[in-house]
Amino acid sequence: MRITAAQRTENENRIRAAMDRLLRGEIPPGGTCDIKTLAREAAVDRTAFYGTRPYAHLREEFEHRLHSLQAIGETPDPRNAQIERLKTEVTNLKARLARADGTVEELTDFRAQALARLAAQHEEIVHLRQTAAAASRVTRLPTARSTSIGSSS
């Protein structure tokens, strides 16, 4: 069924009004900033925006305006902005986790080295004690006495 010029103009005005609302960030519940939502908001069949259909130029205009907004850092769809923010946050958290993993690995290596040094020192002390006990020219000093001098009242 063919539409009249007046109907086409009315449809284009509805499409442009819906386009402006979407690009301002007035996204309806359950919608996004895309052609499907644009068609639904303007009460126009979505297929009219593709190929050689009557509103293909409006789809191109909508996509161009949307890409222009995105190029300057504005995101009309709050969900898309939230997705981008969360992606950035995930990237930062992954970097933070990688740094934390590196620190844990360094500290684990340090702990292992410290334990190895302590074990080596202990072995050296045991070896020196055995050597000292075996040598006949080393004299053992008496142990400390537990008696105290003076009265303890």
Side-chain angles (χ1 to χ4, degrees), residues 63-74:
E63 289 173 348
H64 174 71
R65 288 175 62 187
L66 180 61
H67 291 305
S68 296
L69 284 173
Q70 290 170 342
I72 62 172
E74 291 186 28

Side-chain angles (χ1 to χ4, degrees), residues 9-60:
T9 303
E10 182 183 329
N11 287 347
E12 286 186 7
N13 289 338
R14 280 197 325 265
I15 292 169
R16 287 186 194 281
M19 187 185 312
D20 290 338
R21 285 193 309 273
L22 290 176
L23 293 173
R24 277 195 311 265
E26 298 173 19
I27 311 295
T32 59
C33 194
D34 63 355
I35 295 298
K36 182 178 178 180
T37 305
L38 177 63
R40 189 176 66 222
E41 286 294 299
V44 176
D45 184 29
R46 183 173 43 146
T47 60
F49 289 99
Y50 296 99
T52 59
R53 301 291 174 104
Y55 308 119
H57 68 285
L58 292 174
R59 176 186 52 84
E60 292 171 3

Side-chain angles (χ1 to χ4, degrees), residues 105-151:
E105 190 173 317
E106 288 175 16
L107 292 173
T108 302
D109 290 345
F110 177 77
R111 179 177 175 257
Q113 289 175 0
L115 287 174
R117 288 179 187 151
L118 285 173
Q121 290 172 353
H122 178 51
E123 289 296 319
E124 181 68 19
I125 290 170
V126 168
H127 172 69
L128 290 174
R129 283 183 180 160
Q130 289 173 349
T131 304
S136 60
R137 54 190 176 130
V138 176
T139 307
R140 285 265 192 216
L141 295 175
T143 58
R145 295 183 208 172
S146 60
T147 59
S148 61
I149 302 175
S151 64

